[in-house]
Amino acid sequence: MLWQPTIDEEFRSLIPPLTAEERATLEENLLRDGCLEPLIVWAEQYVLLDGHHRKEICDEHGIHYEIREISLPDRGAAADWIDAHQLGRRNLTPEQMSLLRGRRYNRLKKAARFEPGNDGGPGRGKTVPQFEGPFSTAESLAKEHGVSRATIERDGQFAAAVDRLGLQREVAAGEITATRHEVVQSARALGDNPTPDQVEQVRLRLKQPHVAHNSGDNEWYTPAEIIEKVRTVMGAIDLDPAST
């Protein structure tokens, strides 16, 4: 009997969900061809890292699948593996790509900020400068993902704002119609101690189609539901015809 990998909800939430059409296509392919790619599992904890949608469909229909284990040192490394792997997908929106890169940047920057002392003790380490030399966190990720260092740093701001506003699911699902700049500025405008109601009001505003309302803001964006219908007909697209 196949040993079932554990589903970690935090890790699962990092993965952009499938649309109904994408899931139907995946199910059709699995029923016709079987599960050709192995599910990826974190060896030390036997937690599923990649293949959540395939596993769900295979379990539903009794389709056999293989499992490949990879060794990772901790949860941070496992989460970073998921984000890096998802960045290899071809059907991500610019916002989804920015969120994934930004999460990687913030996570790796935090991990590298403090270098333990020789005894591993928390009080004897030293701060590691992140923006010095040719191998800074931002520059390393910029080279890996083929973007500029400034883009990676903006991605980090966007990811931090998304986390603060609790918009991870909406961005992952492609439901945010606001610009990344608007998301960052909205998070900053909340101040240090916003109430839950204030955060929720901002969340709702950012999810609405953008209109100028004579505000002098001329940036307009196509609503997410229309973009999704376009993708259904045309496949992957990487430019909103109503972008800034």
Side-chain angles (χ1 to χ4, degrees):
M1 180 178 179
L2 186 67
W3 187 15
Q4 292 289 313
T6 300
I7 305 298
D8 185 294
E9 290 304 323
E10 180 184 351
F11 288 167
R12 185 172 187 169
S13 70
L14 299 177
I15 300 171
L18 298 178
T19 64
E21 292 80 7
E22 288 172 335
R23 192 186 191 283
T25 298
L26 177 60
E27 184 173 25
E28 179 183 346
N29 292 340
L30 289 169
L31 287 170
R32 183 186 64 237
D33 303 324
C35 190
L36 302 179
E37 298 182 17
L39 275 58
I40 308 300
V41 168
W42 178 14
E44 285 76 9
Q45 299 294 327
Y46 214 70
V47 171
L48 187 63
L49 300 179
D50 179 63
H52 293 78
H53 303 301
R54 281 177 285 136
K55 182 181 184 304
E56 182 180 287
I57 295 172
C58 287
D59 288 344
E60 180 180 341
H61 295 285
I63 301 172
H64 173 75
Y65 52 80
E66 300 290 338
I67 287 178
R68 181 164 70 88
E69 299 180 15
I70 60 172
S71 180
L72 296 165
D74 51 41
R75 284 186 66 86
D80 189 64
W81 186 94
I82 293 173
D83 282 342
H85 187 71
Q86 289 300 312
L87 278 164
R89 293 176 57 179
R90 296 183 179 182
N91 58 340
L92 295 175
T93 67
E95 288 73 25
Q96 289 169 338
M97 294 177 67
S98 179
L99 177 61
L100 291 168
R101 291 192 304 254
R103 282 200 307 233
R104 294 200 70 203
Y105 173 57
N106 292 341
R107 189 184 297 121
L108 295 174
K109 181 175 66 172
K110 181 178 180 181
R113 187 179 299 278
F114 189 80
E115 182 180 281
N118 294 333
D119 61 353
R124 301 185 61 182
K126 63 179 180 179
T127 300
V128 179
Q130 291 303 299
F131 300 100
E132 297 179 9
F135 300 110
S136 72
T137 303
E139 289 175 343
S140 177
L141 285 176
K143 183 177 180 181
E144 179 178 346
H145 296 300
V147 297
S148 70
R149 170 176 170 167
T151 294
I152 293 293
E153 291 170 352
R154 287 194 295 268
D155 290 339
Q157 296 173 358
F158 176 60
V162 167
D163 185 61
R164 187 181 190 200
L165 295 171
L167 289 170
Q168 297 91 338
R169 187 196 66 79
E170 288 83 356
V171 174
E175 296 175 355
I176 292 296
T177 55
T179 68
R180 280 164 276 178
H181 178 71
E182 286 174 325
V183 172
V184 172
Q185 291 301 107
S186 296
R188 288 176 177 171
L190 281 171
D192 294 332
N193 298 297
T195 66
D197 285 344
Q198 288 174 323
V199 174
E200 183 60 24
Q201 288 175 9
V202 172
R203 282 168 46 83
L204 292 175
R205 176 172 59 80
L206 292 174
K207 292 170 64 176
Q208 294 176 350
H210 183 89
V211 291
H213 293 306
N214 297 320
S215 65
D217 186 349
N218 293 319
E219 293 186 3
W220 291 66
Y221 295 86
T222 306
E225 63 270 18
I226 296 178
I227 289 291
E228 193 54 54
K229 291 177 181 178
V230 172
R231 287 199 182 95
T232 300
V233 175
M234 299 180 62
I237 60 173
D238 56 11
L239 178 64
D240 185 341
S243 60
T244 180

PDB file of all heavy atoms in Angstrom, residues 5-6 8 11 39-50 67-79:
ATOM      1  N   PRO A   5       1.525  10.828   1.445  1.00  0.00           N
ATOM      2  CA  PRO A   5       2.231  12.000   1.961  1.00  0.00           C
ATOM      3  C   PRO A   5       1.269  12.912   2.715  1.00  0.00           C
ATOM      4  O   PRO A   5       0.067  12.937   2.459  1.00  0.00           O
ATOM      5  CB  PRO A   5       2.757  12.673   0.694  1.00  0.00           C
ATOM      6  CG  PRO A   5       1.842  12.226  -0.391  1.00  0.00           C
ATOM      7  CD  PRO A   5       1.430  10.827  -0.027  1.00  0.00           C
ATOM      8  N   THR A   6       1.808  13.663   3.654  1.00  0.00           N
ATOM      9  CA  THR A   6       1.009  14.602   4.439  1.00  0.00           C
ATOM     10  C   THR A   6       0.727  15.859   3.615  1.00  0.00           C
ATOM     11  O   THR A   6       1.591  16.344   2.883  1.00  0.00           O
ATOM     12  CB  THR A   6       1.769  15.003   5.720  1.00  0.00           C
ATOM     13  OG1 THR A   6       2.019  13.836   6.495  1.00  0.00           O
ATOM     14  CG2 THR A   6       0.958  16.002   6.544  1.00  0.00           C
ATOM     15  N   ASP A   8       0.196  19.645   3.914  1.00  0.00           N
ATOM     16  CA  ASP A   8       0.408  20.783   4.801  1.00  0.00           C
ATOM     17  C   ASP A   8      -0.365  21.965   4.214  1.00  0.00           C
ATOM     18  O   ASP A   8      -0.070  22.424   3.106  1.00  0.00           O
ATOM     19  CB  ASP A   8       1.901  21.097   4.897  1.00  0.00           C
ATOM     20  CG  ASP A   8       2.214  22.194   5.902  1.00  0.00           C
ATOM     21  OD1 ASP A   8       1.796  23.346   5.662  1.00  0.00           O
ATOM     22  OD2 ASP A   8       2.875  21.903   6.915  1.00  0.00           O
ATOM     23  N   PHE A  11       1.679  25.055   3.115  1.00  0.00           N
ATOM     24  CA  PHE A  11       2.366  24.834   1.848  1.00  0.00           C
ATOM     25  C   PHE A  11       1.374  24.819   0.688  1.00  0.00           C
ATOM     26  O   PHE A  11       1.643  25.364  -0.383  1.00  0.00           O
ATOM     27  CB  PHE A  11       3.136  23.513   1.885  1.00  0.00           C
ATOM     28  CG  PHE A  11       4.371  23.542   2.753  1.00  0.00           C
ATOM     29  CD1 PHE A  11       5.020  22.361   3.090  1.00  0.00           C
ATOM     30  CD2 PHE A  11       4.875  24.726   3.230  1.00  0.00           C
ATOM     31  CE1 PHE A  11       6.160  22.376   3.884  1.00  0.00           C
ATOM     32  CE2 PHE A  11       6.017  24.763   4.033  1.00  0.00           C
ATOM     33  CZ  PHE A  11       6.655  23.586   4.349  1.00  0.00           C
ATOM     34  N   LEU A  39       4.833  12.842  -7.981  1.00  0.00           N
ATOM     35  CA  LEU A  39       4.563  13.831  -6.949  1.00  0.00           C
ATOM     36  C   LEU A  39       5.858  14.063  -6.177  1.00  0.00           C
ATOM     37  O   LEU A  39       6.627  13.128  -5.945  1.00  0.00           O
ATOM     38  CB  LEU A  39       3.475  13.338  -5.998  1.00  0.00           C
ATOM     39  CG  LEU A  39       2.013  13.557  -6.392  1.00  0.00           C
ATOM     40  CD1 LEU A  39       1.692  12.912  -7.734  1.00  0.00           C
ATOM     41  CD2 LEU A  39       1.076  13.008  -5.322  1.00  0.00           C
ATOM     42  N   ILE A  40       6.120  15.306  -5.786  1.00  0.00           N
ATOM     43  CA  ILE A  40       7.347  15.643  -5.079  1.00  0.00           C
ATOM     44  C   ILE A  40       7.053  15.774  -3.593  1.00  0.00           C
ATOM     45  O   ILE A  40       6.136  16.496  -3.187  1.00  0.00           O
ATOM     46  CB  ILE A  40       7.964  16.948  -5.599  1.00  0.00           C
ATOM     47  CG1 ILE A  40       8.120  16.885  -7.131  1.00  0.00           C
ATOM     48  CG2 ILE A  40       9.306  17.209  -4.924  1.00  0.00           C
ATOM     49  CD1 ILE A  40       9.009  15.771  -7.616  1.00  0.00           C
ATOM     50  N   VAL A  41       7.843  15.081  -2.765  1.00  0.00           N
ATOM     51  CA  VAL A  41       7.618  15.037  -1.325  1.00  0.00           C
ATOM     52  C   VAL A  41       8.898  15.460  -0.606  1.00  0.00           C
ATOM     53  O   VAL A  41      10.006  15.091  -1.006  1.00  0.00           O
ATOM     54  CB  VAL A  41       7.204  13.610  -0.890  1.00  0.00           C
ATOM     55  CG1 VAL A  41       7.241  13.454   0.612  1.00  0.00           C
ATOM     56  CG2 VAL A  41       5.812  13.280  -1.420  1.00  0.00           C
ATOM     57  N   TRP A  42       8.740  16.245   0.447  1.00  0.00           N
ATOM     58  CA  TRP A  42       9.852  16.618   1.326  1.00  0.00           C
ATOM     59  C   TRP A  42      10.228  15.389   2.137  1.00  0.00           C
ATOM     60  O   TRP A  42       9.471  14.912   2.962  1.00  0.00           O
ATOM     61  CB  TRP A  42       9.408  17.771   2.225  1.00  0.00           C
ATOM     62  CG  TRP A  42      10.420  18.245   3.214  1.00  0.00           C
ATOM     63  CD1 TRP A  42      11.760  17.975   3.250  1.00  0.00           C
ATOM     64  CD2 TRP A  42      10.168  19.096   4.343  1.00  0.00           C
ATOM     65  NE1 TRP A  42      12.358  18.587   4.309  1.00  0.00           N
ATOM     66  CE2 TRP A  42      11.404  19.292   5.008  1.00  0.00           C
ATOM     67  CE3 TRP A  42       9.022  19.703   4.857  1.00  0.00           C
ATOM     68  CZ2 TRP A  42      11.519  20.062   6.156  1.00  0.00           C
ATOM     69  CZ3 TRP A  42       9.125  20.480   5.999  1.00  0.00           C
ATOM     70  CH2 TRP A  42      10.364  20.652   6.638  1.00  0.00           C
ATOM     71  N   ALA A  43      11.414  14.869   1.877  1.00  0.00           N
ATOM     72  CA  ALA A  43      11.816  13.569   2.408  1.00  0.00           C
ATOM     73  C   ALA A  43      11.798  13.518   3.928  1.00  0.00           C
ATOM     74  O   ALA A  43      11.315  12.547   4.521  1.00  0.00           O
ATOM     75  CB  ALA A  43      13.212  13.202   1.888  1.00  0.00           C
ATOM     76  N   GLU A  44      12.319  14.556   4.585  1.00  0.00           N
ATOM     77  CA  GLU A  44      12.470  14.517   6.037  1.00  0.00           C
ATOM     78  C   GLU A  44      11.132  14.499   6.775  1.00  0.00           C
ATOM     79  O   GLU A  44      11.021  13.939   7.867  1.00  0.00           O
ATOM     80  CB  GLU A  44      13.307  15.713   6.518  1.00  0.00           C
ATOM     81  CG  GLU A  44      14.799  15.584   6.250  1.00  0.00           C
ATOM     82  CD  GLU A  44      15.170  15.833   4.801  1.00  0.00           C
ATOM     83  OE1 GLU A  44      14.300  16.276   4.011  1.00  0.00           O
ATOM     84  OE2 GLU A  44      16.336  15.591   4.436  1.00  0.00           O
ATOM     85  N   GLN A  45      10.114  15.133   6.198  1.00  0.00           N
ATOM     86  CA  GLN A  45       8.806  15.216   6.853  1.00  0.00           C
ATOM     87  C   GLN A  45       7.712  14.460   6.094  1.00  0.00           C
ATOM     88  O   GLN A  45       6.592  14.332   6.586  1.00  0.00           O
ATOM     89  CB  GLN A  45       8.388  16.687   6.999  1.00  0.00           C
ATOM     90  CG  GLN A  45       9.338  17.526   7.839  1.00  0.00           C
ATOM     91  CD  GLN A  45       9.361  17.090   9.286  1.00  0.00           C
ATOM     92  OE1 GLN A  45       8.363  16.646   9.827  1.00  0.00           O
ATOM     93  NE2 GLN A  45      10.525  17.213   9.928  1.00  0.00           N
ATOM     94  N   TYR A  46       8.038  13.971   4.925  1.00  0.00           N
ATOM     95  CA  TYR A  46       7.100  13.301   4.018  1.00  0.00           C
ATOM     96  C   TYR A  46       5.851  14.154   3.792  1.00  0.00           C
ATOM     97  O   TYR A  46       4.700  13.697   3.878  1.00  0.00           O
ATOM     98  CB  TYR A  46       6.719  11.910   4.516  1.00  0.00           C
ATOM     99  CG  TYR A  46       6.499  10.948   3.356  1.00  0.00           C
ATOM    100  CD1 TYR A  46       7.578  10.529   2.593  1.00  0.00           C
ATOM    101  CD2 TYR A  46       5.229  10.507   3.012  1.00  0.00           C
ATOM    102  CE1 TYR A  46       7.406   9.679   1.521  1.00  0.00           C
ATOM    103  CE2 TYR A  46       5.049   9.657   1.933  1.00  0.00           C
ATOM    104  CZ  TYR A  46       6.143   9.253   1.195  1.00  0.00           C
ATOM    105  OH  TYR A  46       5.960   8.413   0.107  1.00  0.00           O
ATOM    106  N   VAL A  47       6.100  15.432   3.498  1.00  0.00           N
ATOM    107  CA  VAL A  47       5.044  16.400   3.208  1.00  0.00           C
ATOM    108  C   VAL A  47       5.035  16.670   1.710  1.00  0.00           C
ATOM    109  O   VAL A  47       6.089  16.856   1.094  1.00  0.00           O
ATOM    110  CB  VAL A  47       5.278  17.707   3.992  1.00  0.00           C
ATOM    111  CG1 VAL A  47       4.311  18.796   3.538  1.00  0.00           C
ATOM    112  CG2 VAL A  47       5.120  17.462   5.483  1.00  0.00           C
ATOM    113  N   LEU A  48       3.860  16.720   1.129  1.00  0.00           N
ATOM    114  CA  LEU A  48       3.726  16.964  -0.310  1.00  0.00           C
ATOM    115  C   LEU A  48       4.113  18.395  -0.649  1.00  0.00           C
ATOM    116  O   LEU A  48       3.617  19.341  -0.019  1.00  0.00           O
ATOM    117  CB  LEU A  48       2.284  16.686  -0.749  1.00  0.00           C
ATOM    118  CG  LEU A  48       1.998  16.739  -2.258  1.00  0.00           C
ATOM    119  CD1 LEU A  48       2.797  15.650  -2.979  1.00  0.00           C
ATOM    120  CD2 LEU A  48       0.504  16.572  -2.511  1.00  0.00           C
ATOM    121  N   LEU A  49       4.997  18.564  -1.632  1.00  0.00           N
ATOM    122  CA  LEU A  49       5.431  19.885  -2.074  1.00  0.00           C
ATOM    123  C   LEU A  49       4.889  20.248  -3.439  1.00  0.00           C
ATOM    124  O   LEU A  49       4.619  21.414  -3.719  1.00  0.00           O
ATOM    125  CB  LEU A  49       6.964  19.953  -2.121  1.00  0.00           C
ATOM    126  CG  LEU A  49       7.717  19.711  -0.812  1.00  0.00           C
ATOM    127  CD1 LEU A  49       9.221  19.800  -1.054  1.00  0.00           C
ATOM    128  CD2 LEU A  49       7.284  20.696   0.261  1.00  0.00           C
ATOM    129  N   ASP A  50       4.723  19.273  -4.303  1.00  0.00           N
ATOM    130  CA  ASP A  50       4.223  19.539  -5.658  1.00  0.00           C
ATOM    131  C   ASP A  50       3.370  18.365  -6.122  1.00  0.00           C
ATOM    132  O   ASP A  50       3.743  17.205  -5.927  1.00  0.00           O
ATOM    133  CB  ASP A  50       5.387  19.740  -6.636  1.00  0.00           C
ATOM    134  CG  ASP A  50       4.888  19.995  -8.048  1.00  0.00           C
ATOM    135  OD1 ASP A  50       4.211  21.023  -8.250  1.00  0.00           O
ATOM    136  OD2 ASP A  50       5.144  19.170  -8.930  1.00  0.00           O
ATOM    137  N   ILE A  67       6.103   8.681  -6.499  1.00  0.00           N
ATOM    138  CA  ILE A  67       6.532   9.718  -5.576  1.00  0.00           C
ATOM    139  C   ILE A  67       8.047   9.853  -5.628  1.00  0.00           C
ATOM    140  O   ILE A  67       8.764   8.849  -5.622  1.00  0.00           O
ATOM    141  CB  ILE A  67       6.083   9.407  -4.132  1.00  0.00           C
ATOM    142  CG1 ILE A  67       4.567   9.615  -3.995  1.00  0.00           C
ATOM    143  CG2 ILE A  67       6.831  10.269  -3.112  1.00  0.00           C
ATOM    144  CD1 ILE A  67       4.023   9.298  -2.622  1.00  0.00           C
ATOM    145  N   ARG A  68       8.504  11.094  -5.721  1.00  0.00           N
ATOM    146  CA  ARG A  68       9.944  11.361  -5.667  1.00  0.00           C
ATOM    147  C   ARG A  68      10.221  12.218  -4.448  1.00  0.00           C
ATOM    148  O   ARG A  68       9.561  13.235  -4.228  1.00  0.00           O
ATOM    149  CB  ARG A  68      10.432  12.073  -6.935  1.00  0.00           C
ATOM    150  CG  ARG A  68      11.933  12.351  -6.925  1.00  0.00           C
ATOM    151  CD  ARG A  68      12.423  12.684  -8.323  1.00  0.00           C
ATOM    152  NE  ARG A  68      11.951  13.978  -8.778  1.00  0.00           N
ATOM    153  CZ  ARG A  68      12.572  15.133  -8.556  1.00  0.00           C
ATOM    154  NH1 ARG A  68      13.718  15.149  -7.854  1.00  0.00           N
ATOM    155  NH2 ARG A  68      12.093  16.260  -9.026  1.00  0.00           N
ATOM    156  N   GLU A  69      11.205  11.824  -3.659  1.00  0.00           N
ATOM    157  CA  GLU A  69      11.544  12.551  -2.447  1.00  0.00           C
ATOM    158  C   GLU A  69      12.748  13.460  -2.686  1.00  0.00           C
ATOM    159  O   GLU A  69      13.678  13.093  -3.393  1.00  0.00           O
ATOM    160  CB  GLU A  69      11.874  11.574  -1.313  1.00  0.00           C
ATOM    161  CG  GLU A  69      10.726  10.645  -0.939  1.00  0.00           C
ATOM    162  CD  GLU A  69      11.094   9.702   0.190  1.00  0.00           C
ATOM    163  OE1 GLU A  69      12.119   9.947   0.861  1.00  0.00           O
ATOM    164  OE2 GLU A  69      10.369   8.715   0.392  1.00  0.00           O
ATOM    165  N   ILE A  70      12.674  14.651  -2.085  1.00  0.00           N
ATOM    166  CA  ILE A  70      13.827  15.552  -2.117  1.00  0.00           C
ATOM    167  C   ILE A  70      14.154  15.950  -0.677  1.00  0.00           C
ATOM    168  O   ILE A  70      13.256  16.120   0.149  1.00  0.00           O
ATOM    169  CB  ILE A  70      13.580  16.794  -2.982  1.00  0.00           C
ATOM    170  CG1 ILE A  70      12.389  17.607  -2.455  1.00  0.00           C
ATOM    171  CG2 ILE A  70      13.371  16.420  -4.436  1.00  0.00           C
ATOM    172  CD1 ILE A  70      12.234  18.936  -3.161  1.00  0.00           C
ATOM    173  N   SER A  71      15.434  16.084  -0.388  1.00  0.00           N
ATOM    174  CA  SER A  71      15.879  16.413   0.958  1.00  0.00           C
ATOM    175  C   SER A  71      16.038  17.917   1.114  1.00  0.00           C
ATOM    176  O   SER A  71      16.690  18.570   0.289  1.00  0.00           O
ATOM    177  CB  SER A  71      17.213  15.716   1.250  1.00  0.00           C
ATOM    178  OG  SER A  71      17.671  16.023   2.555  1.00  0.00           O
ATOM    179  N   LEU A  72      15.420  18.478   2.158  1.00  0.00           N
ATOM    180  CA  LEU A  72      15.498  19.906   2.438  1.00  0.00           C
ATOM    181  C   LEU A  72      15.731  20.106   3.929  1.00  0.00           C
ATOM    182  O   LEU A  72      15.213  19.338   4.746  1.00  0.00           O
ATOM    183  CB  LEU A  72      14.207  20.609   2.004  1.00  0.00           C
ATOM    184  CG  LEU A  72      13.907  20.573   0.494  1.00  0.00           C
ATOM    185  CD1 LEU A  72      12.468  20.961   0.223  1.00  0.00           C
ATOM    186  CD2 LEU A  72      14.857  21.502  -0.252  1.00  0.00           C
ATOM    187  N   PRO A  73      16.477  21.140   4.323  1.00  0.00           N
ATOM    188  CA  PRO A  73      16.874  21.274   5.729  1.00  0.00           C
ATOM    189  C   PRO A  73      15.772  21.713   6.680  1.00  0.00           C
ATOM    190  O   PRO A  73      15.803  21.365   7.858  1.00  0.00           O
ATOM    191  CB  PRO A  73      17.998  22.311   5.683  1.00  0.00           C
ATOM    192  CG  PRO A  73      17.733  23.098   4.436  1.00  0.00           C
ATOM    193  CD  PRO A  73      17.152  22.122   3.462  1.00  0.00           C
ATOM    194  N   ASP A  74      14.793  22.521   6.193  1.00  0.00           N
ATOM    195  CA  ASP A  74      13.790  23.054   7.118  1.00  0.00           C
ATOM    196  C   ASP A  74      12.575  23.544   6.343  1.00  0.00           C
ATOM    197  O   ASP A  74      12.540  23.488   5.104  1.00  0.00           O
ATOM    198  CB  ASP A  74      14.372  24.186   7.971  1.00  0.00           C
ATOM    199  CG  ASP A  74      15.056  25.264   7.139  1.00  0.00           C
ATOM    200  OD1 ASP A  74      14.509  25.623   6.072  1.00  0.00           O
ATOM    201  OD2 ASP A  74      16.129  25.745   7.539  1.00  0.00           O
ATOM    202  N   ARG A  75      11.565  24.058   7.087  1.00  0.00           N
ATOM    203  CA  ARG A  75      10.326  24.512   6.454  1.00  0.00           C
ATOM    204  C   ARG A  75      10.571  25.705   5.525  1.00  0.00           C
ATOM    205  O   ARG A  75       9.930  25.822   4.472  1.00  0.00           O
ATOM    206  CB  ARG A  75       9.296  24.899   7.521  1.00  0.00           C
ATOM    207  CG  ARG A  75       8.633  23.726   8.199  1.00  0.00           C
ATOM    208  CD  ARG A  75       7.530  24.194   9.144  1.00  0.00           C
ATOM    209  NE  ARG A  75       6.420  24.811   8.437  1.00  0.00           N
ATOM    210  CZ  ARG A  75       5.399  24.137   7.919  1.00  0.00           C
ATOM    211  NH1 ARG A  75       5.352  22.821   8.019  1.00  0.00           N
ATOM    212  NH2 ARG A  75       4.416  24.781   7.298  1.00  0.00           N
ATOM    213  N   GLY A  76      11.483  26.591   5.913  1.00  0.00           N
ATOM    214  CA  GLY A  76      11.774  27.727   5.061  1.00  0.00           C
ATOM    215  C   GLY A  76      12.300  27.296   3.704  1.00  0.00           C
ATOM    216  O   GLY A  76      11.893  27.826   2.665  1.00  0.00           O
ATOM    217  N   ALA A  77      13.198  26.321   3.710  1.00  0.00           N
ATOM    218  CA  ALA A  77      13.740  25.807   2.456  1.00  0.00           C
ATOM    219  C   ALA A  77      12.664  25.093   1.643  1.00  0.00           C
ATOM    220  O   ALA A  77      12.642  25.179   0.412  1.00  0.00           O
ATOM    221  CB  ALA A  77      14.903  24.856   2.747  1.00  0.00           C
ATOM    222  N   ALA A  78      11.759  24.397   2.329  1.00  0.00           N
ATOM    223  CA  ALA A  78      10.669  23.704   1.639  1.00  0.00           C
ATOM    224  C   ALA A  78       9.729  24.708   0.988  1.00  0.00           C
ATOM    225  O   ALA A  78       9.308  24.532  -0.171  1.00  0.00           O
ATOM    226  CB  ALA A  78       9.905  22.819   2.619  1.00  0.00           C
ATOM    227  N   ALA A  79       9.379  25.784   1.714  1.00  0.00           N
ATOM    228  CA  ALA A  79       8.505  26.808   1.153  1.00  0.00           C
ATOM    229  C   ALA A  79       9.169  27.501  -0.032  1.00  0.00           C
ATOM    230  O   ALA A  79       8.525  27.801  -1.045  1.00  0.00           O
ATOM    231  CB  ALA A  79       8.135  27.823   2.229  1.00  0.00           C
TER     232      ALA A  79
END
